[in-house]
Amino acid sequence: MIVAILSVIGCVASIVLGIFANRRLAATQADTSARFRVSGLIWGGILATIQLFLGVWAALGFVQDDALSALVAQVLLTAAAVSCFARPYLAARLTALTASGGAFPHPVIATVICLALAGACATLGLEIPSNHNLTWMHPLCLLLEYCLITAALAGLFFLFQRRSTPSSILALGLGILGLAEYFVILFKSMPIQPGDLFALGTAAAVSAGYTYTLSAYCLYGIGCTGLAIAFIILAGFSRPERAARSRRGLAVNLLVGVLCLGGITAHVTLIDYYNTLGIQIYTWRPLESFYRQGYLPSFITSAQTIIPPKPHDYQTSEAEKLLESYAESFDEGAGASDERAQATAQFDEEQPTVIAIMNETFSDLSIYQNLHAGYEGPTFFKSISDAVARGTLYVSAYGGGTCNTEFEFLTGNSMAYLGNGVYPFSTYNLTQTENLAQQFSDLGYTTTAMHPNHGTNWNRENVYRDFGFDDFLTIEDFEGADRLRGMVTDEATYDKILELLDQNENPQFIFDVTMQNHSGYTTGLLPADKQTDYRIDGVYDAEVNEYLALIDESDRALEQFIEQLRNLDRKVIVVFFGDHQPFFPDRYNDAWFTNEDEATHAERLWQTDYVIWANYDVAGCDQTSEEIDTSTNYLGSLMMQLVGAPLTDYQKAQITARTSMSAINTTGFCDARGTWYMTGATTEAATTEAGDAAVNTRDDLSRIQYLKLFDHGDGIFTKTLQGAANETDPNLAPGTTKIK
């Protein structure tokens, strides 16, 4: 409550002092233009409104109860607001300092100082909410970020003829970005990256499940942003009155503005941040990169690498030969086995339905020393003893980024070769990308995708159409379905699958992307009979327990679904896997696993589990839940191989690649002996024959993937971004999600 009280006091003080300052000025200035500036009054009002908002937000319990940060923030905001309200008076004082014999020989010097101070405050407003310890940042990176921000503020200031509003809007935007970065890190343990800009609709769609509580550092950041705006407003004191303006002054202002903004543009486009400046994003710990190097430098280096780099010495003909060689190795090896022949004959005759379930945030957190709470993981899932295969699944997403796991499974491509912060569904043109939906469609299957949320999320409605799905069932198709915490339950999606099977006797490929377990986990909306009570080192954590309760529900729903399929009079294959872990296990990983190599330590966060199960005896398979650890890009081809489905040359190449590189994701890759290497490891880092083979296979697969994903003469970037779903068919109504 102290924060709310201080905020209201600060707001009242800003208004009262502002009125007092203007009245005093009115009594001493006959020239009304000298005592009245609309922009100053507007920005003073905006800052006072922010103070009022903080008071209301704090009263609702959404601001950390920290008196010091509240006091500092209100002092800074009040000082900033009063400076804006009293701009004419302060401008007169600054003008006096630039007069003959004053402290500054020219008004522009005072303006430059104000802009320099504004840049420093805006930088703090961006960084402090999420990056609390700036002493940990590389000094040159902090300097680079400061220079970029200050140059941008100055560029806008001079481009618009020393008007303060454009630069003030930028400073406010940077402050809002700093708060957004704080919340994204809080909810996902990941920074905002370039690919996120293509998925703003998705972010908005799932934002309601979180609690937005401002921390003490958020208050410090807001205060700094307010101070930045005040300095920008004061910088406008040097703008001459209309009668004193000249064409020469206009030209000089334009020149300075263009030079500042043009310099920034040239800097971020012509200089390779990664190779020249050494600003690199560690894919296994991107958050650490953003903390150490600053938000803007890290974001820029990510943006520069969003276009997939062509493999070194890449040639189309050589990549084609590699693909052919890897496919032939499969045909002569595993493809020629009796087991494969039996499974193929059975699949061709039976044409079983294939159900792929990508379960939201499904993972077994018992790998973290049972959470020091006796947690054993999802009971039924771990007890399945008659699966075709099961094991650890290494993914390229952590805490969020569901669509990247989806992309890897459906296409067989690995995010390891696409750089950090990239979301192919939102970024690339995937119209010619091989995928499971098109593959099953070519086999005569009916193909259906379902996701009980908005079809625009992650640009799915466009991507699924491009992939060849016959239908896409979205939230509109789940009206009246059971919900848990406001999310459609896993069980409801399974009921929809059973309904599809009942309505259509033809073979089907169904891809179910569930929603039940989506973060955040502090909703408090779980019924009492579904809650868990695990004590981590004796302490109850409501967030963790809500997540674990959801996994229990997923486990129960899966058990019920499997039992229903056992009794179904048609052959069905189920591929069930989690897309990523929740956002909080990194704290346990760092606290409880301190004596291990970096790759093993990192990969613990980037793994879930999978199972391939069939309700019939798959020919050539013992069906005893053989443990096969793999990665998401291999999972589709592994399933197709085990059940006898036809394979593309690309899938054959992937299966061959698995013999020497058993898994790969954005964090690293694993050799045939189970040893993990970090992304970028070379043959020098691989001290064994198996390691050398894995490094070579990784490089070969990068060329093959580039060939299949990008080397087809079409544009790299997607033609169907969110909001443009129907540009290829003008007869479809906006928002339509039925694909055919």
Side-chain angles (χ1 to χ4, degrees), residues 110-304:
T111 295
V112 170
I113 292 175
C114 286
L115 290 174
L117 292 172
C121 293
T123 302
L124 293 176
L126 171 63
E127 288 290 344
I128 285 180
S130 60
N131 195 0
H132 311 326
N133 185 11
L134 294 184
T135 61
W136 199 48
M137 277 185 66
H138 296 305
L140 291 179
C141 290
L142 180 58
L143 178 62
L144 172 61
E145 183 169 59
Y146 166 73
C147 291
L148 289 171
I149 290 175
T150 303
L153 294 176
L156 290 174
F157 180 82
F158 285 103
L159 186 67
F160 288 90
Q161 299 302 308
R162 303 189 195 181
R163 289 183 174 88
S164 301
T165 296
S167 299
S168 298
I169 292 174
L170 175 59
L172 180 62
L174 290 171
I176 293 172
L177 176 59
L179 294 177
E181 174 78 346
Y182 164 75
F183 285 117
V184 170
I185 291 172
L186 180 66
F187 300 144
K188 293 174 53 181
S189 291
M190 297 288 280
I192 299 174
Q193 301 187 68
D196 294 315
L197 301 183
F198 295 105
L200 294 178
T202 301
V206 301
S207 62
Y210 301 111
T211 301
Y212 296 89
T213 301
L214 296 170
S215 71
Y217 287 99
C218 289
L219 296 183
Y220 290 133
I222 292 172
C224 290
T225 298
L227 211 55
I229 292 172
F231 280 123
I232 294 169
I233 295 296
L234 293 180
F237 88 96
S238 63
R239 183 168 183 251
E241 297 299 329
R242 185 180 299 275
R245 296 171 194 167
S246 65
R247 292 183 178 180
R248 179 176 178 275
L250 172 66
V252 170
N253 287 334
L254 286 175
L255 178 61
V256 173
V258 170
L259 286 176
C260 288
L261 297 178
I264 294 174
T265 303
H267 180 80
V268 301
T269 56
L270 300 179
I271 295 179
D272 186 337
Y273 272 42
Y274 187 95
N275 294 303
T276 303
L277 301 183
I279 299 175
Q280 303 178 5
I281 303 301
Y282 302 108
T283 52
W284 60 98
R285 283 179 180 266
L287 190 54
E288 180 179 322
S289 300
F290 276 69
Y291 284 160
R292 296 296 300 273
Q293 301 168 157
Y295 181 79
L296 287 183
S298 299
F299 185 90
I300 291 169
T301 195
S302 293
Q304 289 180 343

Side-chain angles (χ1 to χ4, degrees), residues 77-99:
L77 287 171
T78 298
V82 173
S83 297
C84 293
F85 285 135
R87 175 187 176 184
Y89 171 75
L90 296 175
R93 297 299 299 268
L94 287 172
T95 301
L97 291 175
T98 61

Side-chain angles (χ1 to χ4, degrees), residues 634-704:
Y634 290 145
L635 183 58
S637 57
L638 176 64
M639 178 270 295
M640 299 290 274
Q641 176 199 11
L642 293 175
V643 302
L647 297 169
T648 66
D649 283 348
Y650 192 19
Q651 289 171 329
K652 292 176 182 179
Q654 291 164 352
I655 295 169
T656 300
R658 280 199 69 253
T659 61
S660 54
M661 185 178 67
S662 59
I664 183 172
N665 59 11
T666 52
T667 303
F669 57 98
C670 184
D671 67 23
R673 299 175 61 180
T675 301
W676 277 94
Y677 304 88
M678 300 307 295
T679 297
T682 62
T683 51
E684 287 76 14
T687 58
T688 65
E689 184 177 339
D692 288 343
V695 170
N696 292 329
T697 299
R698 178 202 59 184
D699 294 343
D700 286 347
L701 198 58
S702 73
R703 289 168 170 77
I704 295 174

Side-chain angles (χ1 to χ4, degrees), residues 198-206 403 406 425-426 451-464 472 474 515 518 722 737:
F198 295 105
L200 294 178
T202 301
V206 301
C403 65
E406 195 172 341
F425 275 18
S426 303
H451 176 57
N453 210 291
H454 301 293
T456 54
N457 287 1
W458 294 122
N459 196 35
R460 286 189 178 100
E461 62 182 1
N462 296 310
V463 173
Y464 286 169
F472 178 25
T474 64
M515 190 68 188
H518 199 284
Q722 290 189 16
T737 54

Side-chain angles (χ1 to χ4, degrees), residues 6-17:
L6 288 173
S7 298
V8 173
I9 292 175
C11 178
V12 172
S14 295
I15 295 173
V16 171
L17 291 174

Side-chain angles (χ1 to χ4, degrees), residues 391-396 404-405 408-410 412-417 575 577-578 603 606-610 612 628-639 654 657-658 661-670 676 701:
T392 299
L393 183 68
Y394 292 95
V395 299
S396 293
N404 283 355
T405 303
E408 288 191 325
F409 172 71
L410 288 174
N413 295 300
S414 174
M415 292 300 304
Y417 304 120
V575 186
F577 59 100
E603 287 293 347
W606 301 79
Q607 62 174 271
T608 60
D609 297 276
Y610 81 94
I612 301 173
I628 304 176
D629 295 344
T630 190
S631 49
T632 322
N633 63 303
Y634 290 145
L635 183 58
S637 57
L638 176 64
M639 178 270 295
Q654 291 164 352
R658 280 199 69 253
M661 185 178 67
S662 59
I664 183 172
N665 59 11
T666 52
T667 303
F669 57 98
C670 184
W676 277 94
L701 198 58

